[in-house]
Amino acid sequence: MKKVQLAKGTRDFLPAQARRRKYIFDVLERSFQRYGFQPLETPALENLDTLMGKYGEEGDQLLFKVLNSGDFTRALGEGGISGKSLRELSLLLCEKGLRYDLTVPLARVVAMNRHEIALPFKRYQIQPVWRADRPQRGRYREFYQCDADVLGSGSLLCEAELVQLYDEAFSELGIPVKIHINHRKVLEGLAQEAGISGRFAEFTVEVDKLEKTGPEAFEQALRSLGLEEAAVRRVLGHLAANDPERIAVNDLARTGAEEILSVKRFLSGTPLKNELVFDPGLARGLSYYTGCIFEVKPVGVQMGSLGGGGRYDELTAIFGLPGVSGVGISFGADRIYDVLTELERFPAQLGGMPRALLAPLSEGALLYAFRLATELRRQGIPVDVYPEVARLKKQFAHAERLEVPYVVILGDDECKAETAQVKDQRTGEQHCIPAAQLAGHLG
Amino acid sequence: MKKVQLAKGTRDFLPAQARRRKYIFDVLERSFQRYGFQPLETPALENLDTLMGKYGEEGDQLLFKVLNSGDFTRALGEGGISGKSLRELSLLLCEKGLRYDLTVPLARVVAMNRHEIALPFKRYQIQPVWRADRPQRGRYREFYQCDADVLGSGSLLCEAELVQLYDEAFSELGIPVKIHINHRKVLEGLAQEAGISGRFAEFTVEVDKLEKTGPEAFEQALRSLGLEEAAVRRVLGHLAANDPERIAVNDLARTGAEEILSVKRFLSGTPLKNELVFDPGLARGLSYYTGCIFEVKPVGVQMGSLGGGGRYDELTAIFGLPGVSGVGISFGADRIYDVLTELERFPAQLGGMPRALLAPLSEGALLYAFRLATELRRQGIPVDVYPEVARLKKQFAHAERLEVPYVVILGDDECKAETAQVKDQRTGEQHCIPAAQLAGHLG
C-alpha cells in the first residue's frame, strides 16, 4: 500500500494544537466584536474572473485553479493543448480558483451587495486562504488570515480604533509588542526631498529592506538611484526620526505626519498597554496603501511582524464601485502561535477540555459512570467516560494522554454507596466524594 | 465591466447570517466538548491518492480536482490529451483535490498518527467540504459538515452518548426532534426472514425509499425482488414494529435488537428531552454502517433529516490500520439554519453584537465618543462608534441597520457635562445618563 501523505504545504491540527489555535482565534474574534466589527464569511471557491489580475502577475501564478467538472477538454477546441500558453490553457481548463486572500473577496461582497450593506462597513473575517507558493519552514500553502477592515469612512478614528484593537488583542494574548506606524505621504515626502519622486516604488523597496540588509547596503542602493552623498545622509537622518513633529521636511511629509498626530490624539485619553512608535522606515512594500501604515512586532522574541495593515483607497473600484476608502489590519495566526509557544503563554487549561475522565471498573460501574457523566454534563462540566471496563492502569494512561485534571474511579463499592474516588492528577491526592458533590469538586 | 458573480453553488454569509451560523456552530461545539470530544482540523487540500476510490465511482467524479502548479502539461507526455480518458487526464493534470467529507480525512489522520493518538479517540470537526454536484435549492457545492466520531471502541456506551448528544444539542437549539434508531442486523434479519439475503443491498435501497414512495411502490418493489405475497405482508408488518423486543424474527434481528436495548438501558437512568424511536425502516442507504444507525428528524416542520450516523468497522483499514471500530454522527448545519429560521428560534441578541452605536455630533464629541467607547470595551461591552461627525438622522439610520439596542448621542453639552443621551431603540425612550453609569446601563 502506498504511504498516505498530506498534500505538500498543508497541515493537520491534532487536538492539542487545534485547541491552541481556537484559543487564538477566539481572542481575536472577541476583540473584533468588542470594536464593533461584524463577521463575514465568503466561499473558498471563487470564479477566476474575480481573482485574476488582482495580485499582480506573480499572484496569478500562485492561484490554485480548480479543474472544470464534466468534459473539461471541450473548451480546448479542435487544437487540444497545442499552441496555447500555460496561462491560456489553465483558463480554458479552469473557471474557478481558491481564495488567495480575504481582501479581494471583501471588495467583491461590498460591490455585489452595495444596497444591502450599510457604510461604513466594519467587518472581520477569519478563514483559510491558499497560495501555490514553494512550501518552506513557516510558509504554508493553506493558512488562515484574520482581518478586520473598515470600508467607507476616511476618518482617522478608524486608524485609532485599529491601533487600540492591536494593543488590546496582544495584551490579552500576553505577547508584548511594539506597534509601528508610518504614512505613505511621509515616505513620498522623503523621496521628494531627495529628488527621486519619479523612482518612489524603488525607493520604498529599499526602505523596506533597510532593517534586514543594514545601512551600508541601503546607502549604496540610494546612490545607485542617483542620490548625492549629502542627500543619502539626509534620508538616513530622517528615517531615524522617531517623532512625527520633526519629519515635516515638506508639505507632503507634513500632511502624513499630521495624520499620525491625529491618530495619537484620539489615543491620548486612554493610554495603550504597548508602545506605539512612529517609524518613518516602515514601508510594508505594498503599493496599495495610501495613508497610514501599521506593523506589529513582538518584543523580546526573534520573529518577524505579527500583523500589519494600513489605509487604501478605491478597493472596491476593481468591481465597479468607486469612491470607497478603507483601512484594515491583519493578524498572523501562525506566527502568534509560534510566539505563544516560545513564551509559554498558552493557558494551561484551554476552553472545552474535559475536566475529568470517569474510569469504570465493572459492568455495573459503567452504567453508573454514564449516569454521573450525564449529570455533570447537564451542569455544563465537560467530562469524558472511558467507554468500557478496563484495568485501572490502562485508564490512567489514557487520562494522562488526555491531560485531564481529574480521574474519577468508579467500582462496585462506589456504585452502591453513590460515591466516587476522585484523584487529582497534579497533586496525586485521592478522595472519596459523595456523587452529589462531584460537580462542585470538578467544576 | 463584466458582472462579478459568486462561483456556482457557493454562498457569501453577510453579518446577520454569519452570526446565526456561528451561533449554531457554537452550540454544537460546546455540546461536542461537554461529551469529551476533541477538536481536529484537517486541510481542505488533500492528495487525490487519499480521496479517490473512497466514495464510489460517482464520488470520484464529484471530487473537485486542483490543477498542478508550474507546467501542468508536462505529465501528459508527447501525446498531449489525445487517446486518454477524462479520468486519466484529470489525474495527470491534478495531484490534489478538495476535501469531500470529514470521515476519510479522519481515517487518514488516525492512520498517520497511530502512535500519537490515544484510542479510544473522540474527535469533533466542523469544517467545509466541497462536491461538484449540480447545484439546486438547498444543495451547495461548498458546505459545512459537523461531525463527532469515536474511534477504537466497540462499547455501546458510545452510541448512548451520541444519542444523548443529539438530544441535548437540539434541545439547546430549541428544535423539537425525534431520534430514530435502527441496526444493520435488524435489516439483515428481515431480509433473511424474507429469503432475500442475497439481494440485501437492493432490499435496503427499497426500505430507504419506503417513506418517500409509499407502501404500494414498496410492495411492488419487493415483489420484483421475488417475494411472495405473504412475505411482503410479513416484511411490512415487521417494519411497522416500534419495539425492538418484538422484532426478534431470527438470530440476526435479535442481535441487532439487543444492542438497541443496551443503548436504551444506558439512557434509562437520565430521561431524554426528545423521543428516541426504534425505526426498523431506517436504512440511510449507506452500505458502510455495520451496527446501530441513527437519524434525527424535526417535529412539526416539513424538512428532511437534520443529522444521521451510525457504527462502522474498519474505517482506517483503507489507510493500512485494521481493527478499529468506530461510531459517529453528523449535524446538517444548513437545514438546522432553515428550521431555526422557520420556527423563529434564533436568539434576538446573538453573541458579539454591538450593544450600542455611539453617535458624535461635533468634532469635540468625536474624541469624547472614542474615549467612552474605549472604557466600555475595556469593560467587555462591545460597542461601535460612528467614525465621523454626521447628522443625527443619518446616524440613526445606521444604528437601525446595525440592529443595536441603544444609540448613545454625544454633543458638546454631553461632552462638557460628562454625560450621554441614551436612546433605547426598542422602547424609544431617551435618558441623560452620567458617563460613569453608561456601562451598567448598556451591559
Side-chain angles (χ1 to χ4, degrees):
Chain A
M1 184 175 285
K2 207 175 148 187
K3 207 182 155 213
V4 61
Q5 284 184 316
L6 280 163
K8 241 193 311 178
T10 69
R11 298 163 285 172
D12 287 323
F13 299 103
L14 297 186
Q17 294 162 291
R19 249 190 226 111
R20 289 172 161 214
R21 278 165 60 85
K22 269 177 205 294
Y23 162 75
I24 295 172
F25 294 141
D26 282 353
V27 169
L28 298 183
E29 180 159 41
R30 265 180 289 134
S31 301
F32 292 150
Q33 291 176 342
R34 264 202 308 274
Y35 280 81
F37 288 86
Q38 305 195 73
L40 176 71
E41 283 180 63
T42 67
L45 284 178
E46 292 271 5
N47 285 324
L48 279 175
D49 277 352
T50 301
L51 303 176
M52 296 284 284
K54 310 304 189 298
Y55 307 104
E57 206 169 304
E58 201 201 331
D60 282 354
Q61 280 169 26
L62 297 183
L63 288 171
F64 277 115
K65 298 171 187 75
V66 173
L67 194 67
N68 293 337
S69 335
D71 183 358
F72 51 84
T73 59
R74 202 182 308 144
L76 296 175
E78 291 279 306
I81 63 169
S82 63
K84 299 188 179 81
S85 71
L86 285 175
R87 188 190 153 91
E88 273 176 275
L89 279 176
S90 68
L91 292 179
L92 290 170
L93 293 168
C94 305
E95 279 171 7
K96 293 173 292 298
L98 291 176
R99 182 172 55 210
Y100 182 87
D101 72 358
L102 304 179
T103 309
V104 167
L106 168 63
R108 179 187 56 67
V109 166
V110 173
M112 278 176 68
N113 301 277
R114 59 187 79 176
H115 302 299
E116 202 175 328
I117 288 176
L119 295 183
F121 181 48
K122 295 169 80 168
R123 87 86 176 78
Y124 72 88
Q125 196 169 350
I126 301 177
Q127 289 195 288
V129 301
W130 292 266
R131 297 183 182 179
D133 252 319
R134 187 189 302 275
Q136 43 179 267
R137 217 183 91 81
R139 194 200 279 168
Y140 304 101
R141 293 182 145 193
E142 174 172 341
F143 58 96
Y144 268 69
Q145 288 195 334
C146 314
D147 286 12
D149 289 80
V150 191
L151 288 196
S153 170
S155 167
L156 293 164
L157 182 139
C158 305
E159 274 84 343
E161 277 192 342
L162 292 172
V163 168
Q164 230 180 26
L165 205 169
Y166 263 147
D167 183 57
E168 292 203 16
F170 283 108
S171 297
E172 197 175 331
L173 289 167
I175 301 178
V177 295
K178 256 189 196 173
I179 304 166
H180 296 242
I181 187 169
N182 195 14
H183 196 289
R184 185 194 180 98
K185 291 212 166 77
V186 166
L187 287 166
E188 284 177 349
L190 294 188
Q192 189 186 58
E193 206 260 340
I196 48 167
S197 290
R199 305 183 75 173
F200 180 63
E202 291 151 278
F203 174 68
T204 54
V205 168
E206 294 308 325
V207 170
D208 229 7
K209 288 197 297 195
L210 170 56
E211 204 183 346
K212 224 184 258 172
T213 56
E216 276 174 44
F218 181 69
E219 287 172 36
Q220 205 169 333
L222 288 193
R223 272 184 227 111
S224 76
L225 284 176
L227 254 65
E228 300 287 332
E229 203 53 39
V232 171
R233 295 277 138 220
R234 281 206 312 280
V235 168
L236 272 171
H238 296 320
L239 288 178
N242 53 13
D243 184 351
E245 307 265 12
R246 283 170 42 208
I247 201 115
V249 291
N250 50 28
D251 282 354
L252 262 172
R254 188 173 304 116
T255 309
E258 273 168 10
E259 292 212 349
I260 291 173
L261 290 169
S262 293
V263 173
K264 288 195 160 192
R265 207 168 305 123
F266 275 110
L267 296 165
S268 60
T270 48
L272 297 173
K273 297 174 186 83
N274 295 284
E275 200 184 344
L276 174 66
V277 291
F278 171 58
D279 177 0
L282 174 66
R284 284 189 64 75
L286 289 167
S287 52
Y288 61 80
Y289 289 129
T290 54
C292 286
I293 310 170
F294 310 109
E295 195 160 276
V296 179
K297 290 175 186 167
V299 172
V301 189
Q302 278 297 357
M303 180 80 68
S305 84
L306 302 182
R311 181 170 286 279
Y312 44 80
D313 288 323
E314 303 295 344
L315 178 69
T316 57
I318 46 174
F319 297 116
L321 180 64
V324 178
S325 181
V327 56
I329 57 172
S330 191
F331 287 82
D334 285 309
R335 283 194 180 161
I336 291 173
Y337 187 101
D338 292 343
V339 171
L340 286 174
T341 305
E342 193 171 328
L343 295 176
E344 299 181 1
R345 288 281 161 85
F346 278 111
Q349 268 295 109
L350 288 166
M353 285 178 77
R355 297 288 300 159
L357 177 70
L358 276 57
L361 301 179
S362 70
E363 285 300 327
L366 195 64
L367 280 168
Y368 180 51
F370 185 83
R371 179 160 61 77
L372 289 187
T374 304
E375 284 161 10
L376 291 167
R377 288 163 179 163
R378 289 193 178 162
Q379 290 173 76
I381 301 169
V383 293
D384 202 359
V385 184
Y386 200 87
E388 38 204 78
V389 178
R391 282 181 309 127
L392 204 49
K393 198 179 157 192
K394 191 174 174 187
Q395 302 204 44
F396 266 104
H398 193 65
E400 249 168 60
R401 297 181 83 166
L402 292 182
E403 297 181 43
V404 288
Y406 297 97
V407 178
V408 178
I409 306 158
L410 304 167
D412 285 331
D413 290 349
E414 286 73 25
C415 190
K416 259 178 245 150
E418 286 271 322
T419 58
Q421 299 287 338
V422 179
K423 184 167 181 194
D424 185 322
Q425 291 285 83
R426 286 155 300 185
T427 64
E429 280 177 49
Q430 187 173 318
H431 295 287
C432 183
I433 284 171
Q437 291 172 24
L438 204 49
H441 201 82
L442 303 177
Chain B
M1 185 176 284
K2 205 176 150 189
K3 207 183 154 214
V4 62
Q5 286 185 313
L6 280 163
K8 241 192 312 178
T10 69
R11 295 163 288 172
D12 287 323
F13 299 103
L14 298 186
Q17 294 163 290
R19 249 189 225 113
R20 290 173 158 212
R21 278 164 60 85
K22 270 178 205 294
Y23 162 74
I24 296 172
F25 294 141
D26 283 354
V27 170
L28 298 184
E29 178 159 42
R30 265 179 290 133
S31 300
F32 292 149
Q33 290 175 343
R34 266 202 307 276
Y35 280 81
F37 289 85
Q38 306 195 74
L40 176 70
E41 285 181 61
T42 66
L45 285 177
E46 292 272 4
N47 286 322
L48 279 175
D49 276 352
T50 300
L51 302 176
M52 296 283 284
K54 309 305 190 298
Y55 307 104
E57 208 168 301
E58 200 201 329
D60 282 354
Q61 279 170 27
L62 297 182
L63 288 171
F64 277 116
K65 299 172 186 76
V66 174
L67 194 67
N68 293 337
S69 336
D71 184 358
F72 51 85
T73 60
R74 203 182 307 143
L76 296 174
E78 292 280 308
I81 62 168
S82 62
K84 298 187 180 82
S85 72
L86 285 174
R87 187 191 153 92
E88 271 176 275
L89 280 175
S90 68
L91 292 179
L92 289 170
L93 293 167
C94 305
E95 279 171 7
K96 292 172 295 295
L98 292 176
R99 183 172 55 209
Y100 182 87
D101 73 357
L102 304 179
T103 309
V104 167
L106 168 64
R108 179 188 55 66
V109 166
V110 173
M112 278 177 70
N113 301 277
R114 58 188 79 178
H115 302 300
E116 203 174 326
I117 289 176
L119 294 183
F121 179 49
K122 294 169 81 168
R123 87 87 174 79
Y124 72 88
Q125 195 169 351
I126 301 177
Q127 287 195 290
V129 300
W130 292 265
R131 296 183 183 180
D133 252 319
R134 188 189 303 275
Q136 43 179 265
R137 215 184 94 80
R139 194 200 279 166
Y140 304 101
R141 293 182 146 193
E142 175 172 341
F143 58 97
Y144 267 69
Q145 289 195 334
C146 314
D147 286 10
D149 289 81
V150 191
L151 288 195
S153 170
S155 167
L156 293 164
L157 182 140
C158 307
E159 273 84 343
E161 278 191 342
L162 292 171
V163 167
Q164 229 179 26
L165 205 169
Y166 264 147
D167 182 56
E168 292 204 14
F170 283 107
S171 298
E172 197 176 332
L173 289 167
I175 301 178
V177 295
K178 256 190 196 173
I179 304 167
H180 296 242
I181 186 168
N182 194 15
H183 197 289
R184 183 194 181 100
K185 288 211 167 79
V186 166
L187 286 166
E188 284 177 347
L190 295 188
Q192 189 186 57
E193 207 259 341
I196 48 167
S197 290
R199 304 182 75 174
F200 180 63
E202 291 151 279
F203 174 68
T204 54
V205 168
E206 294 308 325
V207 170
D208 230 7
K209 288 197 296 194
L210 171 55
E211 205 184 345
K212 225 184 257 171
T213 57
E216 275 174 46
F218 181 69
E219 286 172 38
Q220 205 171 334
L222 288 194
R223 272 182 226 113
S224 76
L225 284 176
L227 254 65
E228 303 287 330
E229 204 53 38
V232 170
R233 295 278 138 219
R234 282 207 312 279
V235 167
L236 272 170
H238 296 320
L239 288 178
N242 53 13
D243 184 351
E245 307 266 12
R246 284 168 44 207
I247 201 113
V249 293
N250 51 28
D251 282 355
L252 262 171
R254 188 173 302 116
T255 308
E258 273 168 9
E259 292 211 350
I260 292 174
L261 289 170
S262 293
V263 172
K264 289 194 160 194
R265 207 168 303 123
F266 275 112
L267 295 165
S268 60
T270 49
L272 296 173
K273 297 175 186 84
N274 295 283
E275 200 184 344
L276 174 66
V277 290
F278 171 58
D279 177 0
L282 174 67
R284 284 189 64 75
L286 290 166
S287 54
Y288 61 79
Y289 289 128
T290 54
C292 286
I293 310 170
F294 309 111
E295 196 160 277
V296 180
K297 289 175 186 166
V299 173
V301 189
Q302 278 296 359
M303 180 79 68
S305 85
L306 302 182
R311 180 169 288 278
Y312 43 81
D313 287 322
E314 302 294 345
L315 179 69
T316 57
I318 46 174
F319 298 115
L321 180 63
V324 178
S325 180
V327 56
I329 57 172
S330 190
F331 287 81
D334 286 308
R335 284 196 179 159
I336 291 173
Y337 186 100
D338 292 343
V339 171
L340 286 175
T341 305
E342 195 172 326
L343 295 176
E344 298 182 0
R345 288 281 162 84
F346 278 112
Q349 268 295 109
L350 288 166
M353 284 178 77
R355 296 289 299 161
L357 177 69
L358 277 57
L361 300 179
S362 70
E363 285 300 328
L366 195 63
L367 281 168
Y368 180 51
F370 186 83
R371 179 159 60 77
L372 289 188
T374 304
E375 284 160 11
L376 291 167
R377 288 163 179 163
R378 289 192 178 163
Q379 288 172 77
I381 301 170
V383 293
D384 202 359
V385 185
Y386 200 87
E388 36 203 78
V389 178
R391 281 182 311 127
L392 203 49
K393 199 180 156 191
K394 190 174 175 188
Q395 301 203 43
F396 265 104
H398 193 66
E400 248 167 63
R401 297 181 83 165
L402 291 182
E403 297 181 41
V404 288
Y406 297 97
V407 178
V408 178
I409 306 158
L410 304 167
D412 284 333
D413 291 348
E414 285 75 24
C415 189
K416 257 179 243 149
E418 286 270 324
T419 59
Q421 299 287 339
V422 180
K423 185 167 179 196
D424 186 322
Q425 291 285 83
R426 286 156 302 185
T427 65
E429 280 178 49
Q430 187 172 318
H431 295 287
C432 182
I433 283 170
Q437 291 172 25
L438 204 49
H441 201 82
L442 304 178

